[in-house]
Amino acid sequence: MTNYGHRIRFGVEVLGGSDAPGDAVALAVLAEELGYDLVVFPDQVGEGGADALSLAAWTAARTRTVQVAASRLDARARPASVVARGAGSLQLLSGGRGMLVLGSGSAGEDLGVVEEAVAVIRSLQDTSRSRVSSAGTYHRLADAEPGPALDREVPLWLYGADTALAALAGRVADGWVADLDEVGVEGLAGLNAVLDRAAIDAGRDVREVRRSVTLTSGDAADVSALVALVVDHGVSSVVLRVRTGDATQLRTFIDDVAPAVREGAERALPPGALSSRPVRRADVRARRRPGIAYDHVPDDLVATAVEPGDAAFGKVRSTYLRGGNPGLVLRQRNAAEVASAVGFAREHMHLPLGIRSGGHGISGRSTNDGGLVIDVGALNAITVLDEAARVVRIGAGARWRDVARVLQPHGWALSSGDYGGVGVGGLATAGGIGFLARKHGLTIDHLRAVEMVLADGTLVRASATENTELFWAARGAGANFGVAVAFEFVVDEIDQVGWAQLAFHAPDPAAYLEAFGRVAVTTPRETTPFLILGQGIAQLMAMVDSSDPDVIVSQLQPFAEIAPLMQQQVVIAPYAAVMNMFPETPHNGRGEPVSRSAFTREITPGFAAASADLIRSGASHWYQIRTVGGAVADVAPDATAYAHRDANFALAVMGANAQRLDRWFEPVRRQSHGLYLSFESDRNPDRIADAFPSATLDRLRRLKAQLDPDNLFQDNFNITPARDHTRNAS
Amino acid sequence: MNSDTNTDYGHDLLFGTFVTPTTHPVHQAVEQAVVADRAGLDLVTFQDHPYVSSFHDTSTLLAYAAARTERIHLAANVTNLPLRPPAVLARATATLDLLSGGRIELGIGAGAFWDGVAGMGGPRRSPGESIKALEEAIAIIRGIWDTTDRSVLSVRGKHYDVHGAKRGPAPAHPIGIWVGAYKPRILRLVGRAADGWLPSMQYLQNGLPELTEMNRHIDESALAAGREPSDVRRFLNIGGQFTSQRRGFLQGPPSQWAEELTEVALTYGTSGFILASDDTTVTQTFAAEVAPAVRKLVADARGTSRHE
């Protein structure tokens, strides 16, 4: 008895429709409505008929759930490289519903050409490389760009009843399909054995290759024979071949035959034998990293988990600024899955653990080398809970650009950072120093409640009345205590704002900085300026929380007088427009970002001089000062874990080389007090004392000992558990 | 304007967009096609560079976008022939034309970026070879589409050898074959064999006046082949920016664009303007404020000249 544990699927192969391909599409659309899993279009370009790839793409646009296959593709009809790109686009546009079946099924097919085509298609899907080549006499690649990057590889099946083809399928394919009428049950068993042997010889798991049969008539379908095919011969897809116009057969088969086959097979096999757990190819498994129980990833996470050999790995391995090579990325779709993932992480305490929302963070290590990543990017729902009180629930994976876009039609905004691509979770557990900070405070100052999965896997809600100590800690040091899944914020009534981008001639950075500091501390709270200072040039971005041109101009005027203006643009725009200024870009960070942070109450001559030396040294390519103070300082330092309420300026600098940057940054640090952890990448334990005053840190360490005594969440600005507390507790 | 230099092939005017087939975001190009469709434009087109992995496969994108639009015609601008075997290209284009109710056209080029083509396993052709291959391909494509011809389809070319291939499917409407071309030899091919000519403004080394000479090659070749110059519609891929102030050619308010495009239409006989746009507002402005104005101005001018 052979069964490979694959879930049973039913499909329909649509014949005909060469002169009226619309009829074929109509049948496919009906198949989806009836509950079929798969529609298959056999290619007819060899016989003066319709192009299967066009039919598949068109059908993908007219369906929502069904898998769409272009089938019986003669490997010689088109360059395999272009077929690969087409399949990639089909996969992207359809949301992962594409499929290719190579092999015309004709006797005497040149399987060498088929094998070359498979190699080319596989190579172009391998986006872990920058260029790919593939030798061949008919299909080849020479330094071609692989891609497009896919979330899931396009399944590549072979069609035919030939022994050599079955063996080839065993070596290289994801599935094999034959006409049952042609091979018969005995023939199928024989070819299956050939396929298995070839797979094993190639170092593969026989379960990597799905087995499928096409039935030429549903009327004669013998349920017990089909059950036997599933139970004894491992067939997991049964495809009914139907001519356009024959909708009756389509209905009968799915209504009567399919459920009976499913039931019969489930009765005959041990419970749970037919799973939807994917079996990864040997070459994918070969890229697994040590120390990870890949085959024990919880069932609810299996479908979305990404391993190094997976197609989606290129898109998830790195973050905005940090290059990464994690061993496993778990992508949760709800809080229960986050709890599963945390449980799995607890069994892997020996590995680095990254927590990722938007993947923009500099200090938070939301990627790593060989470790786990819990990626909550899919938890991105934004829901208005209370229109009158302006309470909004926001998933940790949402991006601030999307938050702004959703709030804007209500005439609302929530101060975030300076870039719309940043994720909610990382920023809203650290602080959130944004363009509305001086008028409306930090992002965390708007927090009413947070839902978090703790180290022990429990989901808790923290607010002013529940888990109050955690609510305090989550606002400034949240990443140490759990995985935030959602936040409830009270947002502000903000419609249009003044938005200024000014560029100054600033040959003397120290003088510019001092003047900027003087103006900034006296400017009304409506205005929050951010300054980027470079060699010879200063760029000021400022938001004025007002839609009155007179107010905007009068508050900006003192800044405009600091130095000669080279460029200026002032517009009245929604906050959402500012957050959506830059398009979404893929995250392809490389290496390790080097970033330093400091707070200061004022820009003293000493601070300005040290900064000027730093800028002139060339050790830093990014020097940004954000103004804080105002409403941020209205909150007591001990009200949240973010304690540096008295600072008026937050500095962030970035460089390429840590040693070199530190040489020039140390004098600046000496002129400042404290730091904002989101912009500090130095892992020196001294920095933790800069991030949190001692009273805050002691309190955090006591809570850490209580909620995460084993220090599961440590791959960030780590607050080590208080040891005395552990003793007391035991 | 001196009427001696005026050229007019008498075609009604078409307006369309040239949309980047980017895969990031995945559906952006499709959405821009829908924008163009709803805005009432005649045509949406996508470039075809299979060696660029950040672009969608143009053939797949055309099919998907056609299924999501209702009225607009779609075309590659232009198909990379060396990577698209002509018989399959003909069948795929016809399949899509049937599915879309006659909304597909065939923009095609002899090929470019030969390193990219060769890297994808395609042939590396000299300019002369690529033009020869295109001429053979056009013969094959027309032969595949012509199911009324009962003879054996046979094009025994140097680059493509098709003998005895079945004809069909027949497209739903006469699909226009529009060729991207600049040099005299390929322009003469356009005159002999194509239904449209699809140059891009940005590749005209000496600017728009170059169109006069290029038109001449097409016209003479058409006449020599027993065709009419008006058998070849003249398109132009254009780029520009809507600004409140006049800054230059197609850099100004829509009314300025309308005047400028009218002049191009009347001077060079251009009857299809395809604007590079990935921006909803730009596309809508082009459709709502430029296209109708040009149509009116050109109709007025043609009316006047007829009465003289």
Side-chain angles (χ1 to χ4, degrees):
Chain A
M1 178 164 123
T2 313
N3 180 277
Y4 306 98
H6 301 140
R7 195 173 68 83
I8 310 174
R9 301 159 80 241
F10 294 93
V12 53
E13 183 180 274
V14 187
L15 270 196
S18 263
D19 294 321
D23 294 347
V25 174
L27 205 70
V29 170
L30 176 65
E32 177 179 79
E33 281 168 22
L34 293 175
Y36 281 91
D37 305 292
L38 170 69
V39 293
V40 179
F41 295 105
D43 195 30
Q44 299 164 62
V45 297
E47 306 104 53
D51 167 50
L53 291 162
S54 295
L55 270 168
W58 176 283
T59 301
R62 294 288 175 96
T63 51
R64 288 175 48 240
T65 56
V66 78
Q67 189 166 22
V68 182
S71 176
R72 293 203 243 164
L73 297 166
D74 182 337
R76 290 163 310 173
R78 311 166 177 84
S81 56
V82 181
V83 172
R85 296 278 202 241
S89 280
L90 175 64
Q91 187 77 334
L92 286 174
L93 291 166
S94 68
R97 297 188 283 126
M99 175 168 164
L100 284 183
V101 187
L102 293 185
S104 63
S106 63
E109 180 156 35
D110 185 342
L111 294 180
V113 174
V114 176
E115 187 160 9
E116 286 179 7
V118 172
V120 162
I121 295 168
R122 293 258 195 248
S123 296
L124 283 175
Q125 293 194 33
D126 182 3
T127 49
S128 69
R129 292 174 223 208
S130 57
R131 294 278 166 171
V132 288
S133 295
S134 180
T137 54
Y138 204 93
H139 296 293
R140 59 192 166 270
L141 299 171
D143 279 334
E145 291 179 9
L150 301 175
D151 213 44
R152 220 172 312 148
E153 267 190 57
V154 182
L156 189 51
W157 290 36
L158 298 185
Y159 168 77
D162 174 282
T163 308
L165 183 124
L168 179 59
R171 284 206 307 280
V172 301
D174 303 314
W176 168 61
V177 57
D179 288 1
L180 188 60
D181 278 1
E182 190 182 348
V183 293
V185 174
E186 271 179 41
L188 181 81
L191 289 169
N192 236 349
V194 169
L195 194 158
D196 283 351
R197 206 172 313 121
I200 291 164
D201 288 349
R204 306 181 73 191
D205 183 325
V206 294
R207 295 174 303 161
E208 291 175 38
V209 191
R210 288 177 175 267
R211 327 293 159 113
S212 171
V213 292
T214 306
L215 308 181
T216 43
S217 164
D219 300 334
D222 174 345
V223 170
S224 61
L226 290 177
V227 170
L229 283 180
V230 173
V231 174
D232 299 332
H233 303 291
V235 168
S236 60
S237 302
V238 179
V239 178
L240 179 66
R241 180 171 295 153
V242 175
R243 293 215 144 263
T244 56
D246 196 353
T248 316
Q249 224 194 120
L250 204 65
R251 286 177 201 277
T252 318
F253 187 74
I254 199 76
D255 288 347
D256 302 340
V257 180
V261 172
R262 214 185 286 272
E263 272 169 41
E266 277 165 5
R267 234 190 341 259
L269 289 164
L274 303 175
S275 77
S276 52
R277 227 182 145 90
V279 180
R280 285 178 166 81
R281 285 202 317 269
D283 61 306
V284 173
R285 292 199 308 273
R287 295 198 202 176
R288 289 179 166 181
R289 304 291 293 270
I292 299 178
Y294 287 100
D295 294 327
H296 297 96
V297 168
D299 282 344
D300 52 348
L301 303 178
V302 157
T304 53
V306 183
E307 301 184 8
D310 288 345
F313 190 66
K315 281 198 275 194
V316 301
R317 62 185 298 176
S318 296
T319 59
Y320 181 65
L321 288 175
R322 179 175 281 116
N325 194 18
L328 182 66
V329 178
L330 300 170
R331 299 182 296 175
Q332 297 69 222
R333 294 162 296 193
N334 53 53
E337 291 186 0
V338 174
S340 274
V342 168
F344 190 73
R346 259 197 328 270
E347 292 159 16
H348 294 80
M349 293 286 291
H350 54 288
L351 294 177
L353 170 64
I355 311 295
R356 182 186 300 169
S357 53
H360 205 276
I362 299 161
S363 69
R365 269 130 184 101
S366 60
T367 189
N368 53 47
D369 185 10
L372 308 184
V373 172
I374 292 180
D375 184 333
V376 297
L379 300 173
N380 59 0
I382 303 166
T383 321
V384 176
L385 296 182
D386 184 338
E387 181 88 28
R390 299 192 306 275
V391 180
V392 184
R393 184 176 188 274
I394 304 176
R399 310 293 176 104
W400 289 107
R401 71 165 82 248
D402 302 318
V403 174
R405 212 185 271 142
V406 171
L407 299 186
Q408 205 253 321
H410 298 270
W412 301 341
L414 172 57
S415 188
S416 46
D418 70 346
Y419 182 74
V422 173
V424 167
L427 183 141
T429 48
I433 301 176
F435 282 123
L436 295 163
R438 297 186 72 249
K439 178 69 187 289
H440 297 282
L442 300 173
T443 308
I444 56 169
D445 298 338
H446 296 75
L447 193 65
R448 201 182 74 159
V450 57
E451 294 159 40
M452 212 178 233
V453 173
L454 303 179
D456 65 2
T458 56
L459 173 67
V460 298
R461 182 186 156 90
S463 68
T465 54
E466 313 141 273
N467 297 299
T468 52
E469 193 66 2
L470 177 60
F471 186 53
W472 169 81
R475 289 172 292 165
N480 266 282
F481 295 93
V483 183
V485 295
F487 303 83
E488 284 174 29
F489 293 104
V490 177
V491 303
D492 296 305
E493 270 185 308
I494 292 161
D495 192 10
Q496 304 271 300
V497 295
W499 171 244
Q501 291 171 283
L502 311 176
F504 297 89
H505 181 58
D508 181 348
Y512 186 93
L513 263 178
E514 283 189 62
F516 169 77
R518 277 194 303 273
V519 174
V521 291
T522 56
T523 201
R525 286 183 170 201
E526 283 79 19
T527 297
T528 304
F530 287 12
L531 172 69
I532 298 164
L533 197 52
Q535 305 203 27
I537 184 165
Q539 289 170 274
L540 192 76
M541 287 184 281
M543 191 174 282
V544 186
D545 181 17
S546 169
S547 55
D548 179 345
D550 293 338
V551 173
I552 294 166
V553 170
S554 71
Q555 295 200 5
L556 291 172
Q557 192 56 36
F559 290 100
E561 288 164 6
I562 293 176
L565 266 176
M566 293 159 64
Q567 262 180 3
Q568 57 169 317
Q569 196 194 9
V570 183
V571 295
I572 297 176
Y575 179 76
V578 178
M579 280 299 111
N580 285 279
M581 241 181 340
F582 303 104
E584 185 88 61
T585 51
H587 284 179
N588 295 318
R590 298 215 173 154
E592 183 65 23
V594 178
S595 174
R596 298 291 179 263
S597 163
F599 280 124
T600 183
R601 279 180 211 99
E602 57 179 323
I603 295 176
T604 58
F607 182 93
S611 292
D613 290 344
L614 167 66
I615 290 163
R616 285 204 197 90
S617 74
S620 164
H621 59 265
W622 173 259
Y623 178 104
Q624 185 196 41
I625 288 190
R626 303 183 180 200
T627 55
V628 267
V632 177
D634 293 346
V635 178
D638 62 356
T640 62
Y642 178 104
H644 296 290
R645 296 287 178 171
D646 58 346
N648 280 311
F649 302 94
L651 169 66
V653 303
M654 299 196 69
N657 177 295
Q659 253 183 325
R660 183 147 174 261
L661 184 63
D662 281 335
R663 178 144 52 92
W664 294 99
F665 185 70
E666 271 314 308
V668 181
R669 206 192 283 286
R670 282 197 293 274
Q671 306 280 340
S672 60
H673 66 278
L675 62 81
Y676 179 48
L677 58 83
S678 285
F679 292 134
E680 178 64 59
S681 67
D682 185 2
R683 304 184 97 178
N684 183 329
D686 292 353
R687 294 288 85 81
I688 199 88
D690 293 335
F692 304 106
S694 62
T696 304
L697 186 57
D698 289 346
R699 192 172 160 188
L700 288 168
R701 292 185 65 200
R702 285 195 299 275
L703 185 66
K704 179 79 172 177
Q706 210 182 315
L707 298 182
D708 185 16
D710 301 325
N711 204 6
L712 176 65
F713 303 115
Q714 60 171 271
D715 222 6
N716 200 320
F717 242 67
N718 191 213
I719 295 157
T720 49
R723 260 184 274 143
D724 52 345
H725 187 96
T726 318
R727 254 201 316 275
N728 291 347
S730 60
Chain B
M1 204 184 297
N2 184 343
S3 64
D4 290 347
T5 63
N6 283 8
T7 309
D8 191 341
Y9 302 97
H11 298 132
D12 55 344
L13 297 183
L14 299 177
F15 294 86
T17 54
F18 180 82
V19 172
T20 309
T22 180
T23 56
H24 201 97
V26 166
H27 289 97
Q28 180 179 296
V30 177
E31 283 158 12
Q32 285 301 311
V34 171
V35 166
D37 188 34
R38 294 197 180 142
L41 287 172
D42 306 294
L43 191 60
V44 60
T45 67
F46 308 105
Q47 54 195 306
D48 180 29
H49 297 293
Y51 30 79
V52 178
S53 67
S54 59
F55 284 173
H56 275 298
D57 169 57
T58 303
S59 172
T60 307
L61 177 61
L62 282 169
Y64 196 93
R68 288 288 171 94
T69 50
E70 288 166 10
R71 218 195 34 80
I72 201 163
H73 285 231
L74 303 96
N77 189 351
V78 290
T79 304
N80 188 300
L81 175 65
L83 288 168
R84 310 265 181 199
V88 176
L89 175 64
R91 301 213 214 274
T93 310
T95 300
L96 209 47
D97 197 51
L98 289 164
L99 285 170
S100 65
R103 294 192 285 122
I104 305 300
E105 311 296 341
L106 180 58
I108 193 166
F113 306 103
W114 295 101
D115 286 344
V117 170
M120 292 284 279
R124 195 185 284 275
R125 292 174 181 151
S126 70
E129 288 169 339
S130 72
I131 295 167
K132 180 80 177 68
L134 178 57
E135 185 145 28
E136 293 170 13
I138 290 174
I140 293 167
I141 292 165
R142 293 207 190 277
I144 293 279
W145 287 343
D146 186 3
T147 53
T148 61
D149 187 339
R150 298 288 163 195
S151 69
V152 171
L153 174 58
S154 182
V155 179
R156 316 227 68 154
K158 190 167 172 299
H159 304 278
Y160 300 110
D161 183 9
V162 170
H163 184 78
K166 280 192 184 157
R167 297 173 190 268
H173 89 299
I175 295 176
I177 296 181
W178 305 340
V179 174
Y182 300 92
K183 297 279 170 59
R185 202 162 17 155
I186 187 166
L187 289 169
R188 288 196 292 274
L189 167 61
V190 171
R192 283 196 301 278
D195 307 308
W197 174 45
L198 203 51
S200 295
M201 195 174 77
Q202 65 183 109
Y203 295 129
L204 300 175
Q205 282 158 0
N206 304 308
L208 292 171
E210 216 179 321
L211 291 173
T212 304
E213 175 73 4
M214 296 162 104
N215 269 329
R216 196 175 57 76
H217 287 293
I218 296 172
D219 296 348
E220 288 174 5
S221 167
L223 291 167
R227 307 174 79 207
E228 290 298 323
S230 63
D231 289 345
V232 184
R233 180 189 273 279
R234 318 300 155 106
F235 290 90
L236 187 62
N237 290 316
I238 58 175
Q241 225 185 338
F242 291 113
T243 57
S244 47
Q245 271 119 41
R246 289 174 172 261
R247 291 191 195 155
F249 186 73
L250 301 185
Q251 306 274 330
S255 57
Q256 178 198 322
W257 281 48
E259 291 159 22
E260 288 166 346
L261 294 182
T262 300
E263 183 165 339
V264 173
L266 295 172
T267 310
Y268 306 110
T270 306
S271 59
F273 293 102
I274 302 174
L275 174 66
S277 169
D278 296 317
D279 184 293
T280 301
T281 311
V282 168
T283 298
Q284 288 170 342
T285 305
F286 186 60
E289 297 180 43
V290 178
V294 179
R295 282 199 172 101
K296 178 165 190 321
L297 290 169
V298 168
D300 289 352
R302 282 175 174 171
T304 311
S305 63
R306 267 202 298 276
H307 292 300
E308 270 171 3

